[in-house]
Amino acid sequence: MSRFTLGPALLFCPADRPDRFAKAAARADAVILDLEDAVAPHAKTAARGALIDAHLDPERVIVRVNPIDSDAFAADMATLSQTDYRRIMLAKAQSPKRIARLDPRFEVIALCETARGVVAAERIAAQDNVVALMWGAEDLVASLGGTSSRTDRKDRRYRDVARHARSRVLLAAGAAGKAAIDAVHLDIDDEKGLRREAEDAAASGFTATACIHPAQVDIVRAAYRPDAATLSWAREVLEAASGERGVFRFAGRMIDEPVLRHARAIVARAD
């Protein structure tokens, strides 16, 4: 099973903004210090220096590094070797072989956000140093030559290709016993849409959802937290199962092992 236990709300923070590090870490369940897209090329050296000087709990820090095939990747990893941070999020992960050859001191969250990365998700998830998969919609659509991951309808739901990628990454992670992290919701003001997607992520089996703004954290946490009625049902059905063998009826519903596993997941998420 996955060694990844952080969640449900993971908050991105630009690595060149050390003034925000502590606040981001305090607000979310873990902070993702971003050396990739959030930092302009001319600011990456300063961002690496900020990482070295930061004083955060390494257990609650993820560092998003640049893609393996980029010029910045080696500098990112050399910087992290001077810190206690040992959990990286690999941007644009595509090559299972190259991921397997990374420094074994580091746990890898593979960000499958290109067509090649999504197609290779199963093989990436199988690598021993990979503890979780995440997917990304905008880079994925860009890698296909597209222009938008969402429809133009009022509800702005994902296009089919993005929904397929989301499902494939979740399935690949689950098949390998690894955690799955849902993509960011870019429209900060769309609280309703974020809540809908986070609730779906929790019900579908994602471990966490990434956030790009502190205001999104509480919405994500609430979406992953079972409501009182659901939690009560889960505890009651598990208690009833302790005196039963095989399939049994509870509150008008037939209960078997898959349903009990759902109940256990609900209780674990509440705890």
Side-chain angles (χ1 to χ4, degrees), residues 3 37 48 59 69 77 141 159 163 185 214 255:
R3 301 185 296 275
D37 285 345
R48 296 185 187 106
E59 294 300 317
D69 56 0
M77 297 304 290
V141 171
R159 297 184 187 278
R163 292 168 57 203
H185 192 85
I255 306 297

Side-chain angles (χ1 to χ4, degrees), residues 77-98:
M77 297 304 290
T79 296
L80 290 176
S81 294
Q82 301 175 59
T83 73
D84 292 328
Y85 306 132
R86 290 294 179 264
R87 187 181 294 111
I88 64 172
M89 177 179 286
L90 179 62
K92 298 175 180 65
Q94 300 184 146
S95 171
K97 290 183 179 180
R98 297 189 72 174

Side-chain angles (χ1 to χ4, degrees), residues 62-176:
I62 301 164
V63 179
R64 178 159 77 165
V65 296
N66 288 275
I68 286 181
D69 56 0
S70 69
D71 294 335
F73 176 75
D76 291 347
M77 297 304 290
T79 296
L80 290 176
S81 294
Q82 301 175 59
T83 73
D84 292 328
Y85 306 132
R86 290 294 179 264
R87 187 181 294 111
I88 64 172
M89 177 179 286
L90 179 62
K92 298 175 180 65
Q94 300 184 146
S95 171
K97 290 183 179 180
R98 297 189 72 174
I99 292 172
R101 292 197 294 267
L102 291 175
D103 187 332
R105 292 178 298 169
F106 293 90
E107 294 183 343
V108 179
I109 299 169
L111 182 44
C112 301
E113 53 181 341
T114 65
R116 285 183 58 196
V118 171
V119 169
E122 291 85 356
R123 291 180 290 130
I124 291 172
Q127 304 310 309
D128 290 339
N129 56 343
V130 172
V131 297
L133 298 186
M134 180 174 162
W135 78 287
E138 304 312 317
D139 280 299
L140 168 65
V141 171
S143 77
L144 294 168
T147 59
S148 174
S149 68
R150 295 181 182 271
T151 67
D152 296 327
R153 298 197 307 269
K154 184 177 180 180
D155 60 11
R156 297 283 291 163
R157 293 180 185 267
Y158 281 122
R159 297 184 187 278
D160 286 347
V161 66
R163 292 168 57 203
H164 171 80
R166 182 177 187 253
S167 297
R168 182 158 184 174
V169 168
L170 175 60
L171 287 167

Side-chain angles (χ1 to χ4, degrees), residues 231-250:
L231 180 59
S232 177
W233 169 85
R235 287 175 170 160
E236 288 173 5
V237 76
L238 289 174
E239 182 179 357
S242 63
E244 300 284 348
R245 301 184 65 178
V247 178
F248 66 99
R249 180 171 175 164
F250 177 80

